[in-house]
Amino acid sequence: MLLLLLACAKPDDTGCPQVENGTQVGAFDAACACEEPSLEVGTTTIQDVGGTPTLVYTPVSDGKVRMVHGVQGGWHATAGMWLTGTRSIVSLQTRVTFGESEVSPLSEAYVQLVDEADCAGSFPGLTLYLFTEETLGDIVPKVLSCQQVQVEICAQDSGGRDLCSTETWTLLPDLADVEEGLVEDCP
């Protein structure tokens, strides 16, 4: 297998091998070929960037993410990802599980990463829609508030770099649901 990979690899001007499969989609700096690809799961925050409110990737340092009760009546959590050593366009899959149940349907998309420094890119603003087996109604925050879920994000670029990362989050209820008495906030 290693011989096959080496046969398919082509050295770039840095001397680092790149395995490129098929038609390449997205940019890839040759200097990044030596970087070990990685994927970090996080969330999204709004920050002021040059006077403009901008969605940015933010790590989840305490393992807690607040659910959002959307204007159309459903609930979601907002995720983001940080990638290093991949092309700038990736195929993306997201999934959220609670115990043995999938509470966010498998989602797939092609995305353009926000270019960051040092062979890295981010993608903020991933919406993870939350459902439960019981109903699509107001039971979602009652079942998932203060509970741990597994958030899995996988990315693949056209150069054959495949990455997955899973984080455990505790879902906090939307503060509007707490104020309305639908659920209690987490301790």
Side-chain angles (χ1 to χ4, degrees):
M1 180 69 168
L2 181 59
L3 290 175
L4 180 60
L5 284 174
L6 291 174
C8 295
K10 56 184 178 183
D12 59 20
D13 58 359
T14 65
C16 297
Q18 293 184 116
V19 177
E20 301 291 347
N21 302 320
T23 303
Q24 302 309 303
V25 179
F28 186 72
D29 186 347
C32 299
C34 296
E35 296 291 320
E36 184 70 29
S38 68
L39 185 153
E40 294 177 28
V41 175
T43 190
T44 300
T45 57
I46 299 172
Q47 294 181 6
D48 186 312
V49 177
T52 304
T54 305
L55 295 176
V56 296
Y57 165 84
T58 306
V60 179
S61 59
D62 63 358
K64 297 176 182 177
V65 172
R66 196 157 294 275
M67 287 188 282
V68 177
H69 190 166
V71 295
Q72 295 177 335
W75 284 264
H76 66 274
T78 305
M81 67 176 180
W82 183 273
L83 286 167
T84 59
T86 66
R87 289 188 163 275
S88 62
I89 296 176
V90 296
S91 171
L92 178 67
Q93 289 186 334
T94 63
R95 178 188 333 262
V96 180
T97 55
F98 173 60
E100 299 296 316
S101 300
E102 196 168 272
V103 294
S104 182
L106 178 66
S107 174
E108 299 183 35
Y110 280 99
V111 298
Q112 169 80 47
L113 302 177
V114 176
D115 190 27
E116 307 286 354
D118 300 325
C119 302
S122 65
F123 191 80
L126 290 167
T127 301
L128 306 173
Y129 297 99
L130 301 170
F131 304 95
T132 63
E133 291 179 356
E134 291 86 0
T135 181
L136 300 179
D138 66 1
I139 196 168
V140 170
K142 293 175 183 174
V143 171
L144 296 179
S145 289
C146 309
Q147 300 299 313
Q148 290 187 336
V149 296
Q150 302 297 314
V151 178
E152 179 184 47
I153 298 178
C154 295
Q156 179 184 46
D157 74 2
S158 61
R161 286 163 286 273
D162 249 337
L163 304 162
C164 285
S165 185
T166 303
E167 293 286 326
T168 300
W169 289 352
T170 299
L171 292 178
L172 306 176
D174 188 310
L175 290 175
D177 291 341
V178 172
E179 290 172 10
E180 291 174 13
L182 185 59
V183 292
E184 291 184 17
D185 204 359
C186 303

